[in-house]
Amino acid sequence: MSIKGKKVGDRPEREVRARINHEIDCKEVRLIDEEGQQVGVVPVREALAKAEAAGLDLVELSAAADPPVCRIMDFGKFRYEQSKKQQEAKKKQTVIEVKEIKLRPKTEKHDLEFKIKNIKKFLQQKNKVKITLRFRGREIVYADTLGMEVLNKVVEELKEDAVILQSPKMEGRQMAMFVGPK
């Protein structure tokens, strides 16, 4: 069941929030000042006093370390920079989809050319393509001859544009092969 494009049970990803100022509940911390210089291991109260004197926040960077690593910085600016980094990372990632083209052993020449043209278009978009040849009824008898003949025609047409990722193999009543962009 979905409500306006959201599936019930989907939760937005919670960001792991760093503890700041009085949320830090340990006795000592390894302190890094606002210029990035290591101050050393100091009591939390002293670190908080230094942060308040500078008009900044004490932010816990690594809670797993012993003692925890804290830095004096502007937390609002830090969160803003983190969100910008995440947006940049999201922009740079590419999603490779697997498109599927379905054929029959008796697909006519023009229809086959049209489907090959679509395969080339998918490959130019840097997507992988699954080419499926479906056999119905008694056509399964001709899987080794007629089926391979059709797929070999497709491979012949695509040899400049594609790399065969998986050669044709039978999966029940259909023969499938995968091609990817060069």
Side-chain angles (χ1 to χ4, degrees), residues 3-182:
I3 302 168
K4 285 196 178 186
K6 284 193 172 186
K7 292 179 188 168
V8 175
D10 276 0
R11 292 190 183 114
E13 291 181 29
R14 272 193 288 161
E15 63 180 82
V16 179
R17 189 169 171 273
R19 295 190 296 180
I20 58 171
N21 297 332
H22 297 287
E23 295 173 0
I24 302 168
D25 59 351
C26 51
K27 292 181 177 106
E28 293 183 326
V29 294
R30 184 172 304 276
L31 185 65
I32 302 171
D33 66 7
E34 56 271 15
E35 281 90 43
Q37 302 297 318
Q38 281 226 7
V39 177
V41 179
V42 295
V44 173
R45 292 182 198 275
E46 185 183 324
L48 280 169
K50 285 184 180 184
E52 285 175 18
L56 299 170
D57 300 306
L58 182 67
V59 181
E60 185 177 56
L61 298 177
S62 175
D66 188 31
V69 179
C70 294
R71 184 174 182 170
I72 297 174
M73 67 171 86
D74 182 359
F75 187 64
K77 184 178 176 184
F78 173 71
R79 279 194 18 217
Y80 174 75
E81 287 171 354
Q82 290 294 97
S83 70
K84 285 296 175 193
K85 281 181 188 174
Q86 286 177 345
Q87 286 175 355
E88 280 299 313
K90 212 176 223 184
K91 277 185 194 175
K92 289 180 183 175
Q93 74 180 197
T94 57
V95 178
I96 297 175
E97 292 183 44
V98 177
K99 303 284 189 173
E100 184 172 6
I101 295 286
K102 294 183 179 181
L103 303 169
R104 296 275 318 280
K106 295 182 180 177
T107 303
E108 292 297 320
K109 182 180 177 189
H110 176 264
D111 297 330
L112 192 61
E113 289 170 359
F114 193 81
K115 288 186 186 264
I116 288 171
K117 188 173 86 174
N118 280 338
I119 292 171
K120 287 181 180 180
K121 184 175 75 176
F122 294 147
L123 292 170
Q124 286 173 350
Q125 295 169 356
K126 303 291 184 208
N127 291 317
K128 294 179 182 177
V129 182
K130 179 180 181 181
I131 303 167
T132 306
L133 190 65
R134 179 168 282 155
F135 299 99
R136 295 166 77 185
R138 299 233 349 119
E139 290 175 350
I140 196 79
V141 176
Y142 303 108
D144 292 336
T145 56
L146 202 59
M148 286 304 289
E149 196 175 295
V150 170
L151 289 178
N152 285 336
K153 280 184 198 171
V154 172
V155 169
E156 194 65 35
E157 290 287 324
L158 295 174
K159 67 181 173 189
E160 298 114 29
D161 303 317
V163 171
I164 298 174
L165 302 175
Q166 179 188 322
S167 55
K169 74 173 196 180
M170 286 297 292
E171 297 172 354
R173 288 185 102 24
Q174 56 190 20
M175 189 179 284
M177 70 181 286
F178 284 87
V179 293
K182 270 195 174 175

